[in-house]
Amino acid sequence: MKEFYYRRAPDVPGAVALLDADPHARYLAGGTNLVDLMKCGVERPARLVDVRHLPLDRIEPAPDGGLRVGATVTNSDLAAHPDVRSHYPMLTQAVLAGASGQLRNMATVGGNLLQRTRCAYFTDTTKPCNKRTPGSGCPALSGEHHNHAILGASESCVAVHPSDMAVALTALDAVVHYETAHGTGELPLERMYLPVAGTPHRETALPAGALITGVSLPPVPVAARSRYRKVRERASYAFALASVAAAIDIRDGIVRDARLAFGAVASRPWRARAAERALIGAPATAETYAAAAEAELRAARPLPHNGYKVTLVRNLTAAVLSELHEEATR
Ligand code: SF4
């Protein structure tokens, strides 16, 4: 591992000032992804600015009736919070579906959103990779890509975003708050992740040196009945082959509101807007749920070895919506 300087940030302004002074520095929080990437040589920062102890570890009610979650709240604390469990159950389920108990105790909300892809070529510095070394090529296109993207990918990169939490937060219209040396800002999470296009090394729209300070969850009444379902290759812990975050409100046999997002199908959490449009106002039937999944997956462009994901997401979506339907009409 390359040698680096370590510095505990004195406070948020001090943290962003340190990054402003050294654009090659990195923020360190739980370290559950960054430290691994440093060990394998993908990340080689000369300086780490430790932000874990900053006072950003609260979950508080927001004036609009939603929640404000600090960036250094651990995954475990987020999943266990009573307001998250009761108002946004898909979020608790998504967080608990990610990683192991030990990792969730260390990993933070801000770090989770910024974790990098687990594409095996990305973490193998002996291989070319456009995301790691722009212009070097994408061996996954003709190589191992059974867990790569089916939606929104490009010839430059077909990697998927690994976060479970971010899928639920995308379905819930979460907003990311950040601070730089030049002030504060916010971005809807859905817009924070950039389309992959020809620049897969540019992953977010956050300004240079931005420190994520928190995430806002608006009130989402439909989310009180919601679910996150993840399919993975082993039950203990693993990244998703596909996942679905879903919420649905049914009254008088009609779908009145719905939220839907897919995980592990694209370079970012995939908000299934076409499916939501197909659901809202339609009869609450199994046919509607299947048609909604189909509406979203028309845009799928699978690779030779990941076409199974189209079937998997279609079936997963229909199954989760049917389960929520049963709960709502019981
Ligand atoms: Fe790199 Fe993306 Fe290709 Fe993986 S899919 S090798 S991350 S460019």
Side-chain angles (χ1 to χ4, degrees), residues 34-120:
L34 177 61
V35 173
D36 282 350
L37 292 174
M38 290 171 67
K39 287 178 184 169
C40 68
V42 171
E43 290 278 4
R44 297 171 57 80
R47 186 180 303 276
L48 291 182
V49 177
D50 190 344
V51 297
R52 187 179 173 83
H53 57 284
L54 296 179
L56 302 170
D57 59 350
R58 307 277 283 275
I59 300 177
E60 296 169 315
D64 65 358
L67 277 185
R68 169 80 184 230
V69 180
T72 62
V73 168
T74 64
N75 290 14
S76 297
D77 286 347
L78 179 65
H81 195 277
D83 288 345
V84 176
R85 290 165 64 99
S86 59
H87 301 311
Y88 311 99
M90 66 160 73
L91 180 55
T92 286
Q93 293 166 22
V95 173
L96 292 179
S100 62
Q102 292 95 329
L103 287 165
R104 291 194 295 270
N105 287 341
M106 287 298 292
T108 62
V109 169
N112 184 291
L113 300 181
L114 296 180
Q115 63 180 300
R116 314 290 303 277
T117 184
R118 267 44 175 210
C119 172

Side-chain angles (χ1 to χ4, degrees), residues 117-123 127-133 136-141 144-145 148-149 154-160 196 200-201 203 303:
T117 184
R118 267 44 175 210
C119 172
Y121 300 105
F122 174 70
T123 51
K127 300 290 190 300
C129 168
N130 284 329
K131 187 182 278 295
R132 179 169 27 79
T133 311
S136 61
C138 175
L141 284 172
E144 165 53 43
H145 56 236
H148 284 59
S154 81
E155 288 285 300
S156 297
C157 180
V158 289
V160 295
V196 65
H201 57 290
E203 294 175 354
L303 298 158

